[in-house]
Amino acid sequence: METELARIAQIARERPKEQFTSLAHLLNQQMLAECHEELKRRKAPGVDGVTWEEYNEELEANICSLHSRLKEKRYVPQPVRRTYIPKPGSDQMRPLGIPAYEDKIVQLAVSKILTAIYEQDFLNVSYGFRPKRGCHDALKAVDNMIMFKKVNWVVDADIKGFFDHVDHGWMMRCLEVRIKDPSLLRIIGRILKAGYMEEGVTVATDEGTPQGGVISPILANVYLHYVLDLWFEKAIKPRLRGEAYIVRYADDFICCFQYEDEARGFYRQLQARLGKFNLEISAEKSKIIEFGRFARENMKKKGLGKPETFDFLGLTHYCSTSRNGKFRVKRKTSKKKYRTALSKIKVWLKHNRNMPIMQIHKALSLKLLGHYRYYGITDNSKISNFGYEVVQLFFKWINRRSQRRSYTWEQFLMFLSKNPLPTPKIYVSVFENSTPIV
């Protein structure tokens, strides 16, 4: 199957206007079985209640049945099981959809086909959920953009509930630019319309992509490729007298401009552009700020203090200087993400404080390591503060196993000296392997 997908990718790359009319045959038993093997085994089941292990028991028969239904156009996705998880930094709950197991297999297979084609079309400004690209690459690109280009203004815009409001009609029209296979388009259309089940009631979905679905990231990238990326590069930039750049990670993006009037003009056009596709900007989460090498001096002249900051991918970006006094963009963990991460560890420690201390230590080490590897980026000193506060929480909750204290502070420090937690350090340098902005 890798050979077939590589051939599709080569055709898509060599013929940018090629429209693929025969793709559904790629959803054969071999591909479906491979997708089954790739899926994580401990994920929660959907409305069918089927787990990876249960499906695997009669794998050959199950795959054969699924393939027959796909081939005979009888495949109908089940509604996703809706559950709710805490929204980061808020008391509100966020809906999450869990597809039925067979639907996960089909979504993964279809996403492979779409990725093979659209990876050849996607622009370098897009970083989310793409092969060999990630959050740190996007952050390096933003640093490169502001440090070395003529950037004086930043448009920090947030699309309100993007994944909930993707227009199905426009989504299919975006796909039809490259895909003319009615069988594959029918499958994707059914996935979009599958709906969700909550408390035994099935609710139809007229908009949005399947939350929690394997296919959602690639569908989002296809949608925003046409709605935002190409529009910015082909329609906006050529009309400007100054420089302009965009970096996007899924539905999170930053636009930078040389001139204030062009930044503000773009923001107005962005509102109209998104409105055309039934999307809207979240006014309370969006802003236009002066930012760059001249921002500090300009703000001082105006008597306005320090330049404003902006958040991107969990990090607050702010204007600062290097040791030799030159302009530098620096980053630190955003307050919202910092509080959320600390709160999650607090809740976990509270609920698991009666586990053997070495098990707590092992789990806590993994959590800290994950935090450091993401937020341990050039200039972010807040990871040290985070490590210190986690140690305080660790000490607090192991002493709440019973009315009698388990450790004094001295005993606890001795335990940590023999069993140290991961040390906070910078794992990612914005100066290495940064993607140049052209």
Side-chain angles (χ1 to χ4, degrees), residues 136-156:
H136 292 139
D137 297 308
L139 290 165
K140 290 176 184 179
V142 170
D143 184 84
N144 178 285
M145 184 168 65
I146 298 172
M147 287 293 298
F148 303 110
K149 302 298 179 180
K150 296 176 181 178
V151 168
N152 299 310
W153 292 86
V154 169
V155 176
D156 179 12

Side-chain angles (χ1 to χ4, degrees), residues 320-345:
S320 187
T321 55
S322 62
R323 292 180 181 178
N324 58 11
K326 293 185 178 180
F327 169 73
R328 275 272 305 279
V329 181
K330 292 188 178 181
R331 291 143 298 274
K332 60 184 177 182
T333 311
S334 72
K335 290 181 180 179
K336 179 179 176 181
K337 296 295 184 182
Y338 186 94
R339 288 195 301 265
T340 299
L342 205 58
S343 176
K344 285 182 178 179
I345 287 183

Side-chain angles (χ1 to χ4, degrees), residues 367-378:
K367 293 178 187 295
L368 277 171
L369 200 56
H371 185 89
Y372 294 155
R373 283 180 173 168
Y374 182 81
Y375 290 102
I377 191 167
T378 306

Side-chain angles (χ1 to χ4, degrees), residues 300-334:
K300 283 182 181 179
K301 290 177 182 177
K302 298 173 185 177
L304 297 176
K306 294 181 179 179
E308 289 187 66
T309 63
F310 68 90
D311 290 352
F312 184 60
L313 299 181
L315 290 150
T316 298
H317 295 66
Y318 60 98
C319 295
S320 187
T321 55
S322 62
R323 292 180 181 178
N324 58 11
K326 293 185 178 180
F327 169 73
R328 275 272 305 279
V329 181
K330 292 188 178 181
R331 291 143 298 274
K332 60 184 177 182
T333 311
S334 72

Side-chain angles (χ1 to χ4, degrees), residues 7 14 53 186 224 305:
R7 185 178 66 84
E14 294 176 352
E53 289 79 6
R186 184 184 298 108
L224 289 173

Side-chain angles (χ1 to χ4, degrees), residues 201-331:
V201 179
T202 301
V203 181
T205 47
D206 297 322
E207 61 179 0
T209 59
Q211 290 203 25
V214 184
I215 201 171
S216 287
I218 181 65
L219 289 181
N221 273 338
V222 170
Y223 200 71
L224 289 173
H225 170 70
Y226 292 109
V227 173
L228 184 61
D229 300 352
L230 278 180
W231 172 69
F232 187 87
E233 294 295 326
K234 305 295 184 183
I236 296 297
K237 287 180 68 172
R239 299 175 185 173
L240 304 177
R241 68 184 189 281
E243 295 184 10
Y245 305 95
I246 184 173
V247 171
R248 180 176 65 81
Y249 189 94
D251 62 324
D252 198 359
F253 63 97
I254 292 293
C255 298
C256 296
F257 294 84
Q258 184 175 356
Y259 299 116
E260 179 183 5
D261 63 321
E262 294 184 336
R264 298 193 182 279
F266 164 74
Y267 187 79
R268 290 191 296 271
Q269 292 178 72
L270 178 64
Q271 289 175 304
R273 176 70 175 179
L274 294 179
K276 177 181 178 181
F277 295 90
N278 295 328
L279 298 171
E280 62 178 305
I281 289 176
S282 175
E284 62 273 12
K285 295 181 181 179
S286 303
K287 59 186 177 182
I288 303 170
I289 62 172
E290 187 172 5
F291 197 96
R293 60 177 61 86
F294 305 115
R296 286 166 68 99
E297 295 177 13
N298 291 340
M299 296 298 278
K300 283 182 181 179
K301 290 177 182 177
K302 298 173 185 177
L304 297 176
K306 294 181 179 179
E308 289 187 66
T309 63
F310 68 90
D311 290 352
F312 184 60
L313 299 181
L315 290 150
T316 298
H317 295 66
Y318 60 98
C319 295
S320 187
T321 55
S322 62
R323 292 180 181 178
N324 58 11
K326 293 185 178 180
F327 169 73
R328 275 272 305 279
V329 181
K330 292 188 178 181
R331 291 143 298 274

